[in-house]
Amino acid sequence: MDKSKIRKYLIIGLIGAIITVIGEMSQGFVATIDSSNLMMQEFETYASLPGWRHGFGSTIGAIGILLQFFGVYAIYLSFKNKDDKNSKRYKIGAINYSLIGAIVHILLATAIYVLKINSELFMEYMIWFAMPIVSVFLIGYIWFSIIMFNKFRKNETIFPKWCCWLNPVVGKIFFNIVATLIPISALANGISYSNMGIASIIMFAVLLVNLKKIKV
């Protein structure tokens, strides 16, 4: 097991996560606007931003998500057994997490921009373009996260078992809760929009710190 390679890939993943959050904050850091349609209020809030912020945020965010592949692949390299079925499934999930995740990031950013320029096309765009791919991503994302959680929990990696709680889905839920607990503001919206990126920053950073303590 190449500890130096794991470290290098975790660093690249961490850099990718930071870039992702910069992109997501560009799109999500905006004060909530009043809307008569509470179901659409969140989308309309993000749509109130100038177009360049959507373009910059989606592009930078997608690049960051692609770079995060190295971080989640570093976790695969830490597996004690890389030949079992779940390890092979994890690799497929890692591709979904990064490649399909980057596509979804751009699709959802584009959806907000579609709402900005033509609200009548928004639902059509969401139903026929965005949601089919988002659904594929979410199924793979949850599946991938469960495998990762169990790998850590069952002590099948070189990292401590408690690292299972660094799981992407756990982090996403946690930061969504944080966003609801703080006053309604641009910060709350930014945290909510970038919950996955923030969770990834913490996951890769904590794993890097723990890697120093591990003798392979």
Side-chain angles (χ1 to χ4, degrees):
M1 190 173 294
D2 191 342
K3 185 177 173 181
S4 63
K5 190 173 184 178
I6 293 173
R7 179 178 180 275
K8 180 174 71 175
Y9 281 10
L10 282 174
I11 290 173
I12 296 173
L14 176 59
I15 292 170
I18 293 170
I19 292 172
T20 300
V21 171
I22 291 171
E24 289 173 337
M25 281 294 181
S26 172
Q27 298 169 264
F29 197 88
V30 55
T32 300
I33 63 172
D34 292 328
S35 173
S36 57
N37 188 340
L38 293 178
M39 290 184 65
M40 291 293 292
Q41 185 176 51
E42 186 175 359
F43 283 108
E44 290 177 0
T45 293
Y46 296 138
S48 67
L49 291 169
W52 72 265
R53 282 183 61 174
H54 294 294
F56 172 79
S58 63
T59 302
I60 294 298
I63 291 171
I65 293 169
L66 289 172
L67 288 174
Q68 285 187 54
F69 173 79
F70 290 91
V72 293
Y73 190 74
I75 296 173
Y76 166 76
L77 294 177
S78 78
F79 291 172
K80 295 175 181 177
N81 179 6
K82 298 180 182 63
D83 296 323
D84 66 326
K85 289 183 179 179
N86 278 334
S87 295
K88 294 175 181 177
R89 290 166 181 163
Y90 178 93
K91 284 201 293 185
I92 297 171
I95 294 171
N96 174 75
Y97 177 90
S98 185
L99 180 59
I100 309 299
I103 293 171
V104 165
H105 183 78
I106 293 174
L107 282 174
L108 292 181
T110 305
I112 293 170
Y113 194 68
V114 168
L115 175 63
K116 179 183 178 69
I117 60 177
N118 191 327
S119 59
E120 293 180 2
L121 286 178
F122 174 73
M123 288 308 299
E124 186 175 341
Y125 176 87
M126 287 295 293
I127 292 171
W128 298 110
F129 289 87
M131 289 314 298
I133 298 177
V134 170
S135 298
V136 171
F137 168 74
L138 286 176
I139 292 169
Y141 173 73
I142 294 170
W143 178 50
F144 164 80
S145 298
I146 291 172
I147 293 172
M148 183 192 294
F149 185 91
N150 284 328
K151 282 287 185 180
F152 283 123
R153 183 180 62 84
K154 295 178 180 179
N155 201 28
E156 294 179 3
T157 79
I158 63 173
F159 294 103
K161 293 172 67 173
W162 59 262
C163 288
C164 63
W165 298 109
L166 301 173
N167 191 270
V169 168
V170 174
K172 178 178 175 62
I173 294 170
F174 175 79
F175 285 107
N176 265 344
I177 293 172
V178 169
T180 63
L181 294 178
I182 63 178
I184 297 174
S185 61
L187 177 61
N189 288 332
I191 292 172
S192 177
Y193 199 95
S194 58
N195 53 56
M196 291 171 66
I198 297 172
S200 293
I201 288 176
I202 293 173
M203 178 174 68
F204 296 140
V206 173
L207 291 178
L208 271 168
V209 171
N210 276 274
L211 188 62
K212 293 181 180 179
K213 307 173 184 178
I214 295 169
K215 294 181 179 179
V216 180

